[in-house]
Amino acid sequence: MSENDDDDLATLREQTSHGDRLDEAPAAEQRQAFVDAIVAELEAIERGDQQKTVSVWDGPLAAFIRALEDNPDRLEEVGHALQRELDLDEHDVERSEVLRLALRLRLQKSRS
């Protein structure tokens, strides 16, 4: 796996390994099964057995991303803000990175 994938996997495991002692065992088992399914999918992607891409049909999102692409300074600004919000090291960003980070941040916040 790439360093980024290893970091993502380590973060996922860390976030899902802490539980409240009051959690019921079945709920914890279901969460762990889901984490295991994600890990299996990541491994399949790394082996080339699954695609690494996803598609989203959304006009406003497409317009926003295209506008960012037309304004590289703004794209970088948005990407770096997402990296900071996720406590990641800042590095060069491109469209796919901004989309990935935005989705990851939203999913992370929805768990809270």
Side-chain angles (χ1 to χ4, degrees), residues 5-21:
D5 290 340
D6 288 342
D7 291 345
D8 290 347
L9 188 53
T11 300
L12 176 65
R13 283 185 175 144
E14 181 180 317
Q15 290 172 346
T16 57
S17 67
H18 304 294
D20 187 333
R21 291 178 192 237

Side-chain angles (χ1 to χ4, degrees), residues 61-108:
L61 180 60
F64 178 71
I65 292 301
R66 287 188 188 117
L68 285 178
E69 286 179 308
D70 291 341
N71 296 277
D73 291 342
R74 186 72 174 140
L75 176 72
E76 188 171 307
E77 181 183 322
V78 169
H80 288 167
L82 289 165
Q83 289 168 340
R84 285 190 301 274
E85 185 71 23
L86 289 163
D87 294 323
L88 300 172
D89 293 333
E90 286 185 30
H91 58 275
D92 291 340
V93 293
E94 54 188 39
R95 179 184 72 161
S96 63
E97 176 81 356
V98 169
L99 287 167
R100 183 179 71 82
L101 293 174
L103 181 60
R104 184 172 162 190
L105 180 62
R106 182 59 188 128
L107 289 172
Q108 190 177 63

Side-chain angles (χ1 to χ4, degrees), residues 6-61:
D6 288 342
D7 291 345
D8 290 347
L9 188 53
T11 300
L12 176 65
R13 283 185 175 144
E14 181 180 317
Q15 290 172 346
T16 57
S17 67
H18 304 294
D20 187 333
R21 291 178 192 237
L22 299 177
D23 286 342
E24 294 182 28
E29 289 173 8
Q30 288 176 344
R31 278 193 305 278
Q32 188 58 50
F34 186 63
V35 169
D36 293 343
I38 293 169
V39 170
E41 289 297 326
L42 286 170
E43 290 169 348
I45 288 168
E46 186 63 31
R47 287 190 312 268
D49 296 339
Q50 291 285 357
Q51 289 187 0
K52 193 182 266 190
T53 60
V54 295
S55 297
V56 178
W57 293 89
D58 187 286
L61 180 60

